[in-house]
Amino acid sequence: QVHVVESGGDSVQAGGSLRLSCEISGYRYWTYCLAWFRQARGKAREAVAHIDGDGTTKYTSSVRGRFTISQDFAKRTVYLQMTDLKSDDSATYYCAADFRMTVCPTLSDDNFDHWGQGTQVTVSS
């Protein structure tokens, strides 16, 4: 059984940085898509970044250049390094994984098999 557990959410001031971590266990596949999504209060969930098994990444335009998604195979962990945080980045951040995919889908596709419980990021201006 696949388990997805996020950590690292916190309250920070605008311009600050945070690193979110997502530990994924219980899988044995090397083709996959891992993703970070976020959902702000009163807004729809949106994809923030994707990374696949080959290390190919995608970012939504609002975070490109400020956020970096990466993975550590040995630790089975995917990270989201966030810099120059803005109040609009405040949201619950979710990690998602899918092992059916050999490449990640478009950012608008949220049909992922496995999701974490979320970690809260609050940015104050």
Side-chain angles (χ1 to χ4, degrees):
Q1 186 173 359
V2 176
H3 294 279
V4 179
V5 180
E6 307 99 333
S7 62
D10 205 345
S11 296
V12 296
Q13 291 196 329
S17 300
L18 276 178
R19 188 177 79 160
L20 305 182
S21 300
C22 173
E23 186 172 348
I24 305 169
S25 59
Y27 70 95
R28 296 176 294 173
Y29 307 102
W30 294 106
T31 58
Y32 51 76
C33 180
L34 307 177
W36 285 98
F37 288 78
R38 66 186 179 186
Q39 186 166 21
R41 188 173 300 175
K43 294 188 178 181
R45 183 171 61 193
E46 66 169 344
V48 176
H50 286 169
I51 188 166
D52 66 20
D54 290 333
T56 300
T57 59
K58 296 178 188 175
Y59 298 91
T60 192
S61 58
S62 64
V63 308
R64 195 173 296 124
R66 299 188 299 121
F67 290 12
T68 303
I69 188 170
S70 62
Q71 58 188 331
D72 184 323
F73 292 106
K75 295 181 179 179
R76 299 201 168 194
T77 299
V78 59
Y79 303 99
L80 185 68
Q81 178 68 49
M82 305 186 292
T83 63
D84 190 21
L85 282 160
K86 307 177 187 302
S87 56
D88 286 348
D89 296 319
S90 296
T92 301
Y93 283 71
Y94 298 92
C95 180
D98 199 290
F99 302 99
R100 301 167 295 171
M101 305 173 183
T102 55
V103 295
C104 287
T106 59
L107 286 169
S108 60
D109 186 340
D110 65 354
N111 187 23
F112 282 71
D113 270 352
H114 308 285
W115 292 82
Q117 294 299 308
T119 187
Q120 181 67 39
V121 172
T122 303
V123 183
S124 57
S125 56

